[in-house]
Amino acid sequence: MEKTESTYHIPVLLHESIEGMHLQPGGTYVDVTFGGGGHSREILRNMDSKSRLFSFDQDADAERNIINDKRFTFVRSNFRYLHNFLRYYGVEGVDAILADLGVSSHHFDDSERGFSFRFDGKLDMRMNKRAGITAADIVNTYEEEKLADLFYLYGELKNSRKLAATLVKARAQKPVETIGEFIEIVKPLYGREREKKELAKVFQALRIEVNQEMEALKEMLYAATEALKPGGRLVVITYHSLEDRMVKNIMKTGNIEGKAKQDFFGNVETPFKLINNKVIIPSEDEIQRNPRSRSAKLRIAEKKK
């Protein structure tokens, strides 16, 4: 079982995040990003016999990692439906919610999923292979302006307009269906020294759009705020500035826009108090062992009593 976990995904900031959940006897906990089950296993190791853990994942591949433990419930769903499923299971409130927003190493290393520019394969990128549009659908059907917007917003790419124009011109000759074809078209836009970094941003933008990641994160963060009991912890690991901004905003102001509401005395009204004012990042040792943890940031907040 351990082999499955390590090959599927190495859990990032494992001990710091579990410690941040502040597990208590008889608690109810949620891991909204089950993946390889690394964080969930550690939660179960630190839980008592009367505690419960619900773990969410929409990816069929994640089901191979399901843990045989009577305290554990696997929910095959996108975490945006957190509220619906907690209600379905009769859960009134939870004591901690953990989210590791990174894409599993498994996805990057599986050429058939189309998440990485290191392999050729179909331009897919769907977390849930049963539903939704693929990255190829986006590249071949979105209007030029819409393509430029998504590369600018989700990839923070300065040449988003040129990139969109290049793709529209190429697809007029022949639909873009594989990663190899896609890279062939966009590679000339980037110098050799920045090629990998820029391509990673291009792929990130497409992946976010395909899986509606920003919308899903927004819904999950509001549902989590509601689901947590007073004193409950929200523990989130982010990997890029867009999602980190949303998490930081909800923890500081109670909304993802970061609009601070103040009371009569000028104090910011927020449902949370920050546990770590300074963001927690992986140690040099962890980065050495798992280079994909390099951009990880951990934020922890507690719902006010």
Side-chain angles (χ1 to χ4, degrees), residues 17 30-33 39 79 97-102 217 220-221 234-239 297-299:
S17 56
V30 183
D31 175 358
V32 294
T33 47
H39 285 101
F79 62 35
I97 295 170
L98 170 71
D100 175 359
L101 302 177
L217 178 58
M220 186 276 286
L221 288 172
L234 179 59
V235 178
V236 188
I237 304 167
T238 66
Y239 294 82
K297 289 179 177 175
L298 171 63
R299 295 184 185 275

Side-chain angles (χ1 to χ4, degrees), residues 93-242:
V94 301
D95 296 284
I97 295 170
L98 170 71
D100 175 359
L101 302 177
V103 177
S104 285
S105 304
H106 161 78
H107 290 130
F108 283 125
D109 295 336
D110 182 351
S111 58
E112 288 179 24
R113 301 301 292 268
F115 283 92
S116 173
F117 52 84
R118 291 183 296 123
F119 308 105
D120 199 7
K122 284 199 182 336
L123 199 56
D124 192 321
M125 300 195 192
R126 288 173 299 169
M127 292 285 185
N128 180 356
K129 290 198 283 188
R130 300 176 303 169
I133 59 169
T134 66
D137 294 330
I138 288 166
V139 168
N140 290 303
T141 65
Y142 274 28
E143 289 174 10
E144 188 175 318
E145 194 177 340
K146 196 174 177 184
L147 272 177
D149 286 349
L150 87 88
F151 287 127
Y152 182 74
L153 289 171
Y154 297 156
E156 299 178 286
L157 288 148
K158 293 186 176 75
N159 71 336
S160 60
R161 298 210 170 283
K162 193 175 180 187
L163 175 58
T166 304
L167 284 167
V168 168
K169 192 177 172 187
R171 78 189 189 194
Q173 309 299 313
K174 177 183 175 288
V176 186
E177 286 167 356
T178 68
I179 294 165
E181 290 167 356
F182 180 77
I183 289 171
E184 198 77 15
I185 296 160
V186 304
K187 221 175 181 181
L189 299 175
Y190 303 107
R192 261 204 110 104
E193 68 290 344
R194 289 194 55 76
E195 189 181 277
K196 277 188 178 172
K197 206 164 188 177
E198 296 300 310
L199 279 175
K201 289 179 179 179
V202 172
F203 271 64
Q204 173 184 293
L206 282 173
R207 191 199 78 225
I208 289 171
E209 179 71 7
V210 166
N211 298 292
Q212 295 184 300
E213 287 178 29
M214 293 299 110
E215 199 53 42
L217 178 58
K218 173 183 169 181
E219 288 175 30
M220 186 276 286
L221 288 172
Y222 283 127
T225 304
E226 204 178 302
L228 283 167
K229 295 176 186 171
R233 295 278 184 93
L234 179 59
V235 178
V236 188
I237 304 167
T238 66
Y239 294 82
H240 59 78
S241 57
L242 296 168

